Amino acid sequence: MSVETTADNEYNFEDKFEKHLRYVFYMKPLSENPKCDTSKLEFFGVLSLKDVLKPERKLWCIYHCRQPDIDRTIDALREKYGKKNMYEIFRRPIFKGAALRAGVKKHFTDLKWFVKGNLLEAPPKSHFNDDRVIKSVTDVYNIERQKLHNFMAMKLHWRNQRW
């Protein structure tokens, strides 16, 4: 189920989450043109790697960093693994990059993948491709967002019961 659906019977997760946060922390409603400090945004991304020496290997590299460091981080990864051999398949703003990185690593470790540092390698003769990796990472991303939403909803419920 997509989080950003617009059907009548479903909700937009981002809007509902923002309303909960503003209510819990007694914040004013969001203005028409919000001013956001982009240097504090953190991003999580996945790069698809192609091994020139062994094309049958399926590799992906995960990273997380703040907004101003994205170019530097990707350049360092391209320098390490080869500029022509990689392209980005996933990038999203997140609350905490290290937590999502740990969740992604655990998810793929449970699938019996080879996980070392920031590299993810599918087992030989695996059915995984870039689309399936994107779907898996998006599912883990949505689970992490849902955990944060549930925590905020629990705090709101606890506060309402105390009063």
Side-chain angles (χ1 to χ4, degrees):
M1 181 171 92
S2 175
V3 174
E4 298 174 1
T5 57
T6 57
D8 293 335
N9 60 352
E10 298 183 53
Y11 63 92
N12 186 341
F13 179 79
E14 297 295 328
D15 291 341
K16 188 172 181 179
F17 182 64
E18 181 180 335
K19 287 178 186 176
H20 278 299
L21 284 176
R22 292 191 173 281
Y23 184 75
V24 168
F25 293 113
Y26 304 103
M27 296 169 66
K28 294 180 183 177
L30 190 61
S31 65
E32 291 294 322
N33 296 325
K35 296 178 181 174
C36 181
D37 184 9
T38 58
S39 66
K40 295 186 179 181
L41 281 177
E42 193 167 342
F43 282 81
F44 178 84
V46 179
L47 299 166
S48 179
L49 302 175
K50 301 293 181 205
D51 191 352
V52 179
L53 301 176
K54 295 182 181 177
E56 67 275 357
R57 286 180 74 189
K58 298 175 185 178
L59 296 168
W60 291 270
C61 181
I62 57 177
Y63 70 91
H64 65 91
C65 59
R66 295 201 182 272
Q67 169 84 29
D69 300 332
I70 289 176
D71 292 335
R72 189 175 335 123
T73 302
I74 291 178
D75 287 343
L77 290 171
R78 286 181 189 234
E79 192 69 34
K80 184 175 182 179
Y81 297 112
K83 295 180 181 182
K84 296 179 183 178
N85 303 331
M86 67 177 10
Y87 58 94
E88 190 162 29
I89 59 173
F90 182 87
R91 182 192 295 179
R92 295 273 169 86
I94 53 172
F95 179 68
K96 188 69 176 163
L100 184 59
R101 177 180 177 268
V104 168
K105 287 177 72 170
K106 182 182 181 317
H107 173 77
F108 285 110
T109 302
D110 292 345
L111 292 175
K112 307 294 186 220
W113 280 37
F114 306 110
V115 178
K116 184 173 182 182
N118 290 336
L119 276 182
L120 307 172
E121 183 176 355
K125 299 180 184 175
S126 172
H127 63 279
F128 269 85
N129 57 13
D130 288 343
D131 293 334
R132 288 185 184 239
V133 170
I134 291 171
K135 184 183 179 323
S136 295
V137 172
T138 302
D139 290 345
V140 174
Y141 173 79
N142 289 338
I143 289 169
E144 290 293 322
R145 298 283 295 178
Q146 191 65 42
K147 284 180 187 176
L148 188 58
H149 176 268
N150 291 345
F151 173 74
M152 295 308 299
M154 179 195 66
K155 294 293 267 185
L156 176 66
H157 178 70
W158 178 77
R159 193 195 72 166
N160 286 342
Q161 285 205 353
R162 281 189 41 207
W163 296 12

